Amino acid sequence: MPLYKTIRFSSTTQIFVWKITESFEQLNNEVQLNEKNCIRLEGMKSEIHQRGFLSVRKLLQTAGYTDFDLYYDELGKPHLKDDKYISITHSHNFSAIIVSNKTVGIDVELQRDKIIRIADKFVDVESSYLNQSDLSSYIKKLTIIWGAKEAIFKIRNEKGISFKEHIKVSAFEMEDTVAAAELHYDTIIRDFTIYFEEIENFILVHACEKQ
């Protein structure tokens, strides 16, 4: 399938979403990888991960880049050679990238009840506004909270950051499509704006660091 969705969030920030329907062979024939990423691809045991990895390279092409414009630092954080910020995500049959002049992070997550079982690992103050009796809303909000914390972690990408202890997401409603979040870690204090939306049965979340 071609590009699923483009979100022109602002003049300096764009999100590109891909729905992965192609076979591994088709995707592999349509992208060119640098040497390091050829080795990474060969080392992946799951075809789902391989297709997600390759679909991200299709998104790079859509955004005007190639795999040769992308590199990773020692912590595994992606960067573009033109110094724009990039964040990458893929889950099951969706992948997405965000490219911006500002500090940003992105995450896409499938909505599923499994998240209820692990909520105590990443939810702290957020439990004060979650309503467990409304199961559908509860799962959606948990998924947004997880996605927000994942997106913020991708921005900072520092060992030792705890989703539960160090990242807090303020109360929000589904119709808001926006929320606020804070990171408090050691001497680091940062504020973020969180944007979220549903894409089929997935939640797409991106975080922008407030300047």
Side-chain angles (χ1 to χ4, degrees), residues 11 43 50-51 61 64 68 73 80-81 85 94 107 117 133-134 137 156 159 161 164 173 197:
S11 60
Q50 290 178 322
R51 291 165 66 211
Q61 292 176 356
F68 295 88
D73 63 24
L80 290 170
K81 289 184 178 179
Y85 293 96
F94 274 99
D107 191 54
R117 301 198 298 271
S133 63
D134 185 345
S137 176
R156 298 303 310 183
K159 292 181 179 179
I161 292 178
K164 183 171 184 175
E173 297 299 334
E197 65 176 271

Side-chain angles (χ1 to χ4, degrees), residues 151-164:
I152 289 169
F153 180 79
K154 287 180 179 180
I155 291 173
R156 298 303 310 183
N157 206 40
E158 296 178 41
K159 292 181 179 179
I161 292 178
S162 163
F163 282 19
K164 183 171 184 175

